[in-house]
């Protein structure tokens, strides 16, 4: 199995966690979904650490890592403001979970397409 395909499972966990959170009324079920989603997010970052060295040469590796962590840090910081803004504008927590579920689904779909693309067939797994 390709390491790139390993990105699909964490994104799948996030899709399931956010999607189920849309209809949850019970605190304990919501807590389990939050744990599942957090695990998927953490696992996706760990898998990316394994994928990055296979993407670039040693010379460009440090630039890619710096860019990846800088953009990831900015997104992590502003993610709360964006979802909070959705809640403030609409008054619905469910809509913010829906947006996050859609974005995770897009990530999962891109991960599957990337892992199955023809130009990756010659790369080592």
């Amino acid at each position: 199995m390709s390491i790139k395909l390993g990105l699909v499972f964490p994104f799948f966990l996030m899709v399931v966690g956010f999607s189920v959170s849309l209809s949850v009324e019970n605190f304990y079920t919501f807590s389990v979904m939050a744990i599942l989603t957090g695990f998927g997010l953490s696992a996706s970052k760990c898998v990316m650490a394994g994928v990055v060295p296979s993407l670039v040469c040693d010379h460009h590796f440090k630039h890619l890592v710096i860019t990846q962590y800088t953009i990831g840090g900015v997104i992590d910081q502003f993610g709360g403001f964006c979802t909070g803004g959705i809640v403030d504008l609409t008054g619905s927590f469910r809509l913010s979970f829906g947006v996050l579920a859609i974005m995770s689904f897009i990530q999962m779909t891109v991960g599957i397409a990337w892992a199955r693309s023809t130009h990756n067939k010659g790369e080592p797994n």
Side-chain angles (χ1 to χ4, degrees):
M1 176 169 79
S2 170
I3 190 169
K4 294 172 188 169
L5 200 55
L7 280 171
V8 173
F9 181 67
F11 292 141
F12 177 73
L13 287 178
M14 293 185 333
V15 168
V16 169
F18 287 132
S19 298
V20 172
S21 296
L22 290 169
S23 61
V24 169
E25 298 290 333
N26 183 350
F27 172 76
Y28 297 108
T29 308
F30 186 76
S31 298
V32 169
M33 290 301 105
I35 291 169
L36 190 70
T37 304
F39 179 76
L41 181 62
S42 299
S44 68
K45 289 185 179 187
C46 292
V47 172
M48 275 307 290
V51 170
V52 167
S54 69
L55 297 177
V56 295
C57 64
D58 292 338
H59 177 71
H60 291 102
F61 177 72
K62 64 181 176 181
H63 301 292
L64 180 63
V65 170
I66 290 169
T67 304
Q68 176 187 358
Y69 284 114
T70 301
I71 291 173
V74 170
I75 289 171
D76 287 347
Q77 294 300 314
F78 287 108
F81 292 117
C82 293
T83 55
I86 291 170
V87 172
D88 289 344
L89 289 174
T90 64
S92 171
F93 285 99
R94 294 182 197 278
L95 184 60
S96 65
F97 288 121
V99 169
L100 292 171
I102 291 168
M103 292 175 69
S104 296
F105 180 77
I106 291 169
Q107 287 177 323
M108 185 179 69
T109 306
V110 168
I112 291 171
W114 183 35
R116 296 179 51 93
S117 68
T118 55
H119 73 90
N120 292 325
K121 296 296 182 194
E123 292 181 0
N125 295 330

